[in-house]
Amino acid sequence: FVLQYKVKRRIPLETIDEIRLSELRDNFFLLVVNNDYATLLELSSKTEAISTIAKNYAKKTNRTLKISFGQG
């Protein structure tokens, strides 16, 4: 069994306004994008993905990415 991924959308890091995490114990999070629609993602490695996104966002923009829980 081989996992295959298909890129459906590319989001430049600098266009991400915020990451919103589900308040439930699930693997969902929302990428809120400036002047565009938000993208809902589900990943089993949610914590690692968000950490990587935030770290690379900070490197690229010299700003801290806002991360919140719930619907905002």
Side-chain angles (χ1 to χ4, degrees), residues 47-70:
T47 303
E48 293 83 357
I50 292 170
S51 175
T52 301
I53 292 168
K55 181 176 142 185
N56 286 302
Y57 178 90
K59 278 185 191 178
K60 186 158 189 143
T61 65
N62 291 320
R63 296 188 318 249
T64 302
L65 182 60
K66 180 178 177 186
I67 299 174
S68 62
F69 287 91

Side-chain angles (χ1 to χ4, degrees), residues 8-67:
K8 294 182 180 181
R9 181 177 182 201
R10 292 187 187 271
I11 302 171
L13 285 171
E14 62 275 7
T15 65
I16 299 173
D17 282 339
E18 176 183 3
I19 294 178
R20 292 187 190 155
L21 305 171
S22 169
E23 293 175 341
L24 305 175
R25 293 181 58 113
D26 56 22
N27 296 320
F28 290 101
F29 65 98
L30 189 70
L31 291 180
V32 180
V33 181
N34 186 22
N35 295 323
D36 207 345
Y37 62 93
T39 297
L40 180 65
L41 299 168
E42 180 185 18
L43 291 172
S44 59
S45 55
K46 177 175 76 171
T47 303
E48 293 83 357
I50 292 170
S51 175
T52 301
I53 292 168
K55 181 176 142 185
N56 286 302
Y57 178 90
K59 278 185 191 178
K60 186 158 189 143
T61 65
N62 291 320
R63 296 188 318 249
T64 302
L65 182 60
K66 180 178 177 186
I67 299 174

